[in-house]
Amino acid sequence: MEKFTRNQRVAAITKTLIENPNKIINLNKFTNVFNAAKSTISEDLVVIKDTLNKLDIGRIDTISGAAGGIKYVCNISKEDSRKFAEKLCIILKNRDRIIPGNFLYVTDIVFDPQIIHTAGKILASAFITKDIDYVITVETKGIPLAYEVARMLGVQLVLARRETKITEGSTLSINYVSGSSGRIQNMSLSKKSLNRNSNCIFIDDFMKAGGTAMGIIDLLKEFESQLIGIGVLIDNLETPRKLIHDYVSIVDFKGVDENGESLLFPSKLFK
Amino acid sequence: MEKFTRNQRVAAITKTLIENPNKIINLNKFTNVFNAAKSTISEDLVVIKDTLNKLDIGRIDTISGAAGGIKYVCNISKEDSRKFAEKLCIILKNRDRIIPGNFLYVTDIVFDPQIIHTAGKILASAFITKDIDYVITVETKGIPLAYEVARMLGVQLVLARRETKITEGSTLSINYVSGSSGRIQNMSLSKKSLNRNSNCIFIDDFMKAGGTAMGIIDLLKEFESQLIGIGVLIDNLETPRKLIHDYVSIVDFKGVDENGESLLFPSKLFK
């Protein structure tokens, strides 16, 4: 069996941990791969722990017991988060993004893996202390962000659909009122997709009046489950009276001013 | 400024590289953070390179020139890929997954970050040698997988929509014939979403007759762009005559037999 130096083990263990956020990994996995004693691996882990702490880029938790092991818990420093939000505001302020109806074109942003990876880390860090079973989103543009948050939290992503599909099996469907347009809308969830009595967070790209979030709360009630947090990439503060008050956002959008400039600011999360 | 040991630098550099697949990172980033000479960082990188090579879990490429640096290129060994495909077949064979019409319920799979992360790594590794500008998918269930592949390849994800939306700006829309149902369907893409003359790969959850892939080829032609590869999670071999012949899949689905058992096999990619 090949021998590995401490440096090499540290590199390989770091890779495994970072690729499996919030997932408990048994130390035996590493003692087997590296043909090393548990005490040796524990010393390797001290190096990784210290490095993450020193740079404020996450932490390694030790879970004791038979099903125990270690896990990587993501984090991003307040300073890096704020810098990211400021950079995102600059990108979003580009005048070419204003489309008829004073909408902001964000499709490229919500499907840009580099941006969404960091945004996902920021939102996951905001909910990391909570006991979460699922991340839920509604199609379509919030899916990559919700996926990243679910990945960082080590939980399953659940998708509410706008229409029922034959490939979903039995579904549970609700009507809700869109807070901004006042129109009745529909969303549905496969009966197989969620266990009863689950704690969920809702992640989406945009928050307007919060009608969709209210719909998600109603939908989850049908599964005897609770919404315990909401996170969005962009909070549209132009829409007055919000139906929902308790949520986390990365960027605040306050509409387009008389000079045709988008008013965008890092959210209060970074104050 | 704080001092870092080689072990600590190796841990931190590994984390940065793994979090930014296929993205060139200038060595100055590391010399600044660690207050270390370029030669020191280069020695750290040798450790990481050797480790990835030894374990066959990717590689570090050096790019010379003014815009040069290093980048992590993902890979997964043939053995690990095959094991993953075998495990996925077992999960998919669960009889509860067969829903009316002999469809396979896969919604939980395509939104499971742990499964999709590995599946994305397998498909990205299959296309890593090609010069790719965009990953394209069509809503909805292929989005997480396409996102992971785009992330691993370090490129933008582009989403074709089933309906045009006001938040997409000007769109280009085509009709295509679904290969399995024979019905006319529509898909559209925002004019802003793609540069002319781009190389794209199409990633989706399921491949049936290939009508959607044919539609994507037509849609890309409207953008003077080319489809240079196709990758799917599950290839439905039940549908006879395929419109598309050149693609990569992870699992083959051959329908449900007379005993009500799903016929599922690792694809020829792992032979």
Side-chain angles (χ1 to χ4, degrees):
Chain A
M1 194 173 233
E2 272 197 282
K3 271 286 178 195
F4 289 82
T5 65
R6 162 137 302 152
N7 288 330
Q8 290 176 331
R9 288 193 309 268
V10 164
I13 295 171
T14 302
K15 180 172 188 286
T16 301
L17 289 168
I18 301 304
E19 287 184 332
N20 295 283
N22 229 19
K23 288 286 178 190
I24 298 170
I25 300 169
N26 194 293
L27 288 196
N28 291 337
K29 185 186 155 85
F30 298 124
T31 55
N32 290 339
V33 171
F34 302 120
N35 191 22
K38 220 165 198 166
S39 58
T40 308
I41 300 295
S42 294
E43 285 166 33
D44 298 341
L45 287 167
V46 170
V47 172
I48 301 171
K49 271 186 197 191
D50 288 350
T51 310
L52 299 188
N53 287 344
K54 239 172 154 172
L55 293 166
D56 197 8
I57 50 174
R59 61 172 208 266
I60 308 291
D61 281 1
T62 305
I63 293 92
S64 50
I70 50 157
K71 66 173 184 175
Y72 159 66
V73 180
C74 77
N75 187 45
I76 175 164
S77 72
K78 212 159 194 174
E79 197 196 332
D80 284 348
S81 301
R82 205 193 52 243
K83 273 187 200 159
F84 170 80
E86 283 165 359
K87 212 182 88 186
L88 188 54
C89 286
I90 293 168
I91 295 169
L92 290 171
K93 273 183 183 168
N94 186 324
R95 280 166 185 257
D96 291 345
R97 293 193 172 275
I98 303 170
I99 53 180
N102 276 355
F103 289 104
L104 214 53
Y105 179 78
V106 298
T107 307
D108 56 334
I109 301 293
V110 299
F111 293 109
D112 181 323
Q114 279 230 304
I115 290 174
I116 292 305
H117 180 73
T118 305
K121 213 191 272 180
I122 292 172
L123 293 181
S125 303
F127 296 110
I128 200 85
T129 56
K130 295 197 177 181
D131 191 17
I132 293 161
D133 300 305
Y134 298 95
V135 171
I136 185 165
T137 191
V138 60
E139 50 187 340
T140 304
K141 276 157 60 189
I143 296 174
L145 181 60
Y147 171 82
E148 274 288 5
V149 174
R151 200 172 113 65
M152 295 284 172
L153 297 175
V155 301
Q156 173 81 33
L157 173 62
V158 167
L159 179 75
R161 310 281 312 234
R162 296 289 182 189
E163 305 163 39
T164 58
K165 305 271 176 186
I166 41 171
T167 52
E168 301 286 312
S170 309
T171 56
L172 217 154
S173 187
I174 62 141
N175 293 314
Y176 69 99
V177 180
S178 160
S180 44
S181 70
R183 274 197 318 216
I184 302 259
Q185 302 211 289
N186 182 276
M187 64 174 128
S188 70
L189 202 53
S190 170
K191 292 272 274 179
K192 290 180 194 285
S193 60
L194 206 68
N195 292 326
R196 309 267 136 192
N197 218 342
S198 298
N199 289 331
C200 305
I201 60 168
F202 170 50
I203 300 291
D204 209 355
D205 58 333
F206 241 92
M207 163 81 84
K208 282 191 285 190
T212 308
M214 296 289 282
I216 293 281
I217 291 172
D218 285 348
L219 190 58
L220 289 177
K221 269 185 198 150
E222 298 288 339
F223 286 81
E224 292 161 41
S225 291
Q226 309 81 41
L227 191 71
I228 61 164
I230 300 172
V232 296
L233 184 68
I234 303 169
D235 184 11
N236 188 342
L237 292 174
E238 246 194 330
T239 321
R241 218 147 11 116
K242 300 241 171 190
L243 302 171
I244 294 277
H245 298 280
D246 190 16
Y247 59 92
V248 169
S249 66
I250 295 178
V251 161
D252 289 343
F253 175 56
K254 296 184 178 170
V256 178
D257 73 9
E258 62 269 29
N259 301 317
E261 189 154 334
S262 302
L263 303 169
L264 287 146
F265 310 91
S267 83
K268 64 177 185 292
L269 191 62
F270 314 112
K271 294 264 160 67
Chain B
M1 195 173 232
E2 272 196 283
K3 270 287 177 197
F4 290 82
T5 64
R6 160 138 304 151
N7 288 329
Q8 292 177 329
R9 288 194 308 269
V10 165
I13 295 171
T14 302
K15 181 173 189 283
T16 302
L17 289 168
I18 301 304
E19 288 186 332
N20 295 283
N22 228 19
K23 288 285 180 190
I24 298 170
I25 299 168
N26 194 291
L27 288 196
N28 291 336
K29 186 187 155 85
F30 298 124
T31 56
N32 290 337
V33 171
F34 302 119
N35 191 22
K38 221 164 198 167
S39 57
T40 308
I41 301 295
S42 294
E43 286 166 33
D44 299 341
L45 288 168
V46 170
V47 173
I48 303 171
K49 271 187 197 190
D50 288 350
T51 310
L52 298 188
N53 287 344
K54 239 170 154 172
L55 293 165
D56 196 8
I57 50 174
R59 61 173 209 267
I60 307 292
D61 281 1
T62 305
I63 294 93
S64 50
I70 50 156
K71 66 173 184 176
Y72 159 65
V73 180
C74 77
N75 188 43
I76 176 164
S77 71
K78 212 159 193 172
E79 197 195 333
D80 284 347
S81 300
R82 205 194 52 244
K83 273 186 200 162
F84 169 81
E86 282 164 0
K87 212 183 88 186
L88 189 54
C89 286
I90 292 168
I91 296 169
L92 289 171
K93 272 182 183 167
N94 186 324
R95 281 167 184 257
D96 291 345
R97 293 193 172 275
I98 302 171
I99 53 179
N102 276 354
F103 289 103
L104 214 53
Y105 179 77
V106 297
T107 307
D108 58 333
I109 302 294
V110 299
F111 293 108
D112 181 324
Q114 279 229 304
I115 290 175
I116 292 305
H117 181 73
T118 305
K121 214 191 271 182
I122 292 172
L123 293 182
S125 302
F127 296 111
I128 200 84
T129 55
K130 295 197 177 181
D131 191 18
I132 294 161
D133 300 305
Y134 299 95
V135 170
I136 186 165
T137 192
V138 61
E139 52 187 342
T140 304
K141 275 157 61 189
I143 296 175
L145 181 60
Y147 171 82
E148 274 289 5
V149 174
R151 202 173 112 64
M152 295 285 174
L153 297 175
V155 301
Q156 174 79 35
L157 173 62
V158 166
L159 179 74
R161 310 283 309 236
R162 295 289 182 189
E163 305 163 39
T164 58
K165 304 271 175 186
I166 40 170
T167 52
E168 300 286 313
S170 310
T171 54
L172 218 154
S173 187
I174 62 142
N175 294 314
Y176 69 99
V177 181
S178 161
S180 43
S181 70
R183 274 196 321 214
I184 301 260
Q185 300 211 290
N186 182 275
M187 65 173 126
S188 70
L189 202 52
S190 170
K191 292 273 275 179
K192 291 179 193 286
S193 61
L194 206 70
N195 292 326
R196 309 267 136 191
N197 218 342
S198 298
N199 289 331
C200 305
I201 60 169
F202 170 50
I203 300 292
D204 210 353
D205 58 333
F206 242 93
M207 165 81 83
K208 283 192 283 190
T212 307
M214 296 288 283
I216 292 281
I217 291 172
D218 285 349
L219 189 58
L220 290 178
K221 271 186 197 148
E222 297 289 338
F223 286 81
E224 292 161 40
S225 291
Q226 309 82 41
L227 191 71
I228 61 164
I230 300 172
V232 296
L233 184 68
I234 303 168
D235 184 12
N236 188 341
L237 292 174
E238 246 193 328
T239 320
R241 215 144 15 115
K242 300 243 171 189
L243 302 170
I244 294 277
H245 298 280
D246 189 16
Y247 60 92
V248 169
S249 66
I250 295 179
V251 162
D252 290 342
F253 175 56
K254 296 185 179 171
V256 178
D257 73 9
E258 61 269 31
N259 301 317
E261 191 155 334
S262 301
L263 304 168
L264 286 147
F265 309 92
S267 82
K268 63 177 186 290
L269 191 60
F270 314 113
K271 295 262 159 67

